[in-house]
Amino acid sequence: MGFVALLALSGCGFSGGAGGAESSASGDQRIVVDNFRAPVAGWALESDSAYILSLSGCLETLTRYDEKQGKVVPSLATEWKQVAPTEWDFTIREGVQFQDGSELTAETVVASLNHVLEAEVPARAFSPTVVSGIKSIDDSTVRITTPSESPLVPYRLASVNTGVLSPAAFEDDAVDPFGHCTGPFTPVSEKPKQSLTLERNENYWGGQVQLAGAEVRFITDGATRAAQVQTGEADVSLSVPVSSLSTLEADSGVKVLKADSPRTATLYMNNGRAPFDDVDFRKAIRSALDLDALAGSVYEGAAIASSGPFAPSEPWATKNIEPQGQDLKAAKELLTAVGYTVERPLEIIAIVERAEFADVATVIQANLKSVGVPVTIQTKEYAAVEPDLLAGNYDMVLSQRNRLIDIADPIGFLTADYTCEGSYNLSHFCDEDYDKLIAQAAETADTEDRYRLYSEAGQILQEQAVNIWLVNEQAVDAVRTDLQSYIQDPLSRYVLRAETTKPAS
């Protein structure tokens, strides 16, 4: 399956109600969206908070990855071209106003992007390692310069971390997005770690905004998100847990949306800490796990056992890797060969934002007990545990990673997560041959050649048993059936859109 086809499968549109998208909206309707994570770093654009601002219909980027077309399309930039091996020019859309009334210009774009580029911890998709300079050529042209030839610059400018805010958003030390975006909705108030309230942008450049406003709630508990969409307290619930699917699917007032997604539930292992610094120990852990049983039990068949860091349907997937079945004998032999002895129970951290991870951890605990590896389980919110993960102060953590979330191409995931200097290298894995392969891929313009290099990189990760990729998941959201012109985005970037409507009660 080609890249366009893969991502085209990922976008599911939904027009609810008997009248569909043609029914008229009252103009004063508001909706509630339950999201699974709150902003953890104020509103800094280089952080994951940018995803909240983007899904809320506030933050917009120069380019945009269109899930239906499977390609990068214009947004705040109308066109772009590579004018030299290391230079790309982007033409800024005319007539766009920020929500504070100031004009979008090349200079305001440069200023906003430089705040991200110069951040103490830059965004994974837009950092000095991949972008060496930003400047305005004239009133409507922004030039992006890269350290080496990069065919993926338009993809990087579609990352939500490169969203553009007006100069007024940066007047104080903290970033203030309130009234300073360009999108269809403007944030007007927040309850920290609880909710964000938004109003319609009456002067939106992209056309009439149908809803009067919305509230985005930050609810980490998946069962609560599912319950609220069923009672009507929420109109949209993102990342519905598998355990709630049967109940929601039986409710005539709810539509469950499922889409293929490049998301894999993963058991991260700290390669920089004993005993996980031994590849044979990591292979022993992998051999002890029954992934088919895990997919069938905890995930109730809504996910498939993984065979490596990519899903088999992805065009860059490593070929001829069969899903590894449980082999307790092989696991015990490997443990004996490495001289493993129980000095302390190993710890699995299960991220609470994914409700099923507590059960997944229990299954893994039982699997490892059968080969003589004792494990304890801790459940924690991701924000609380991330500093320890990045610092290497952990054994194992259950989390999930969307491979195309930073940039709609695997280069972002493969660079940030597994290169020696990767900014999101939770595994603390480092291999010179792997790094050389990724550096080559980053400069390869031919798509097929680049995908071949990604496949080779995946082979290295699998052979080194860097992590255990457990199951390939679907994106599962639930919406009320009276919500119209709602489009599911499996990459969780765009939720509140100008065209979404809800008829009057």
Side-chain angles (χ1 to χ4, degrees):
M1 180 182 293
F3 183 53
V4 172
L6 173 76
L7 272 297
L9 283 174
S10 299
C12 292
F14 169 61
S15 295
E22 298 302 319
S23 296
S24 61
S26 68
D28 61 357
Q29 292 297 300
R30 310 177 68 87
I31 66 171
V32 172
V33 175
D34 282 357
N35 187 48
F36 56 89
R37 186 179 295 176
V40 296
W43 295 108
L45 295 185
E46 67 272 12
S47 74
D48 284 351
S49 297
Y51 296 99
I52 305 296
L53 293 174
S54 179
L55 72 85
S56 299
C58 168
L59 191 65
E60 295 184 312
T61 49
L62 295 190
T63 65
R64 189 172 184 271
Y65 189 84
D66 186 278
E67 60 275 1
K68 287 186 177 181
Q69 299 182 58
K71 66 178 183 180
V72 175
V73 299
S75 184
L76 294 181
T78 55
E79 60 182 0
W80 50 90
K81 59 182 177 180
Q82 189 172 12
V83 295
T86 61
E87 294 179 342
W88 287 77
D89 285 356
F90 291 79
T91 302
I92 304 307
R93 186 179 297 276
E94 295 181 358
V96 177
Q97 286 189 340
F98 290 103
Q99 294 160 355
D100 57 18
S102 61
E103 297 294 325
L104 177 76
T105 65
E107 285 190 4
T108 60
V109 171
V110 169
S112 187
L113 292 179
N114 271 323
H115 277 280
V116 176
L117 192 64
E118 297 167 2
E120 184 176 349
V121 181
R124 294 186 287 268
F126 200 78
S127 72
T129 60
V130 294
V131 174
S132 54
I134 313 164
K135 65 179 180 179
S136 57
I137 302 301
D138 54 41
D139 289 344
S140 61
T141 308
V142 171
R143 175 165 293 173
I144 306 294
T145 305
T146 57
S148 57
E149 186 169 4
S150 175
L152 296 173
V153 170
Y155 284 80
R156 296 191 181 281
L157 271 298
S159 164
V160 296
N161 297 115
T162 66
V164 180
L165 295 176
S166 74
F170 305 104
E171 288 180 352
D172 299 318
D173 291 337
V175 177
D176 177 15
F178 289 75
H180 303 314
C181 296
T182 60
F185 294 92
T186 181
V188 292
S189 65
E190 69 171 314
K191 294 180 181 178
K193 297 186 178 182
Q194 294 184 50
S195 65
L196 179 68
T197 300
L198 303 114
E199 300 289 344
R200 172 197 290 131
N201 178 6
E202 299 286 359
N203 298 312
Y204 180 50
W205 64 268
Q208 184 178 1
V209 181
Q210 299 300 311
L211 292 169
E215 180 184 16
V216 177
R217 296 176 181 168
F218 311 129
I219 299 176
T220 58
D221 183 70
T224 301
R225 293 197 303 275
Q228 288 194 352
V229 77
Q230 189 172 14
T231 61
E233 188 175 348
D235 298 276
V236 179
S237 285
L238 303 177
S239 296
V240 173
V242 171
S243 58
S244 300
L245 285 185
S246 59
T247 301
L248 292 175
E249 288 175 334
D251 190 327
S252 60
V254 177
K255 176 72 173 180
V256 176
L257 303 178
K258 300 177 182 178
D260 290 341
S261 76
R263 180 185 287 114
T264 299
T266 303
L267 179 65
Y268 287 83
M269 297 181 288
N270 186 352
N271 289 209
R273 179 177 185 173
F276 299 97
D277 55 353
D278 190 316
V279 63
D280 285 335
F281 180 81
R282 299 196 299 269
K283 288 180 178 179
I285 299 300
R286 185 172 65 188
S287 294
L289 302 188
D290 190 342
L291 302 187
D292 286 323
L294 179 67
S297 59
V298 176
Y299 288 90
E300 301 179 21
I304 60 172
S306 178
S307 57
F310 303 125
S313 61
E314 293 176 290
W316 43 77
T318 305
K319 308 304 179 186
N320 304 318
I321 293 184
E322 296 295 328
Q324 182 168 321
Q326 185 182 44
D327 190 337
L328 298 181
K329 180 181 177 183
K332 292 176 181 178
E333 289 175 349
L334 284 167
L335 291 172
T336 299
V338 300
Y340 171 72
T341 57
V342 179
E343 297 181 0
R344 61 180 178 88
L346 303 177
E347 182 182 81
I348 294 178
I349 300 171
I351 302 303
V352 299
E353 284 87 344
R354 307 294 297 187
E356 67 275 11
F357 279 166
D359 292 334
V360 172
T362 300
V363 171
I364 293 174
Q365 182 184 50
N367 285 168
L368 295 184
K369 181 180 180 181
S370 66
V371 296
V373 179
V375 169
T376 60
I377 300 170
Q378 292 284 335
T379 55
K380 297 181 180 179
E381 289 190 3
Y382 181 79
V385 77
E386 185 181 63
D388 282 338
L389 301 183
L390 292 171
N393 299 323
Y394 81 100
D395 289 326
M396 296 175 282
V397 63
L398 277 169
S399 190
Q400 62 86 26
R401 180 83 158 103
N402 193 319
R403 289 180 290 280
L404 303 183
I405 193 68
D406 297 329
I407 170 177
D409 181 277
I411 194 66
F413 162 75
L414 293 171
T415 302
D417 291 36
Y418 297 109
T419 58
C420 294
E421 300 301 322
S423 60
Y424 198 66
N425 191 345
L426 303 185
S427 314
H428 300 274
F429 168 73
C430 181
D431 182 277
E432 289 186 5
D433 290 338
Y434 175 88
D435 279 17
K436 290 178 182 177
L437 199 64
I438 296 305
Q440 182 182 353
E443 297 181 6
T444 300
D446 183 82
T447 301
E448 288 190 8
D449 288 345
R450 192 168 69 251
Y451 288 178
R452 176 181 52 78
L453 294 171
Y454 294 158
S455 176
E456 292 177 19
Q459 181 77 38
I460 292 175
L461 297 177
Q462 182 71 357
E463 289 175 349
Q464 293 290 318
V466 176
N467 291 321
I468 302 174
W469 295 275
L470 301 172
V471 297
N472 296 312
E473 302 180 36
Q474 286 185 309
V476 183
D477 302 331
V479 302
R480 298 295 301 176
T481 53
D482 61 348
L483 196 63
Q484 300 173 0
S485 300
Y486 177 82
I487 301 173
Q488 182 188 25
D489 176 15
L491 301 186
S492 301
R493 303 151 304 170
Y494 317 122
V495 176
L496 286 172
R497 309 189 191 213
E499 63 267 31
T500 302
T501 64
K502 182 179 179 180
S505 302

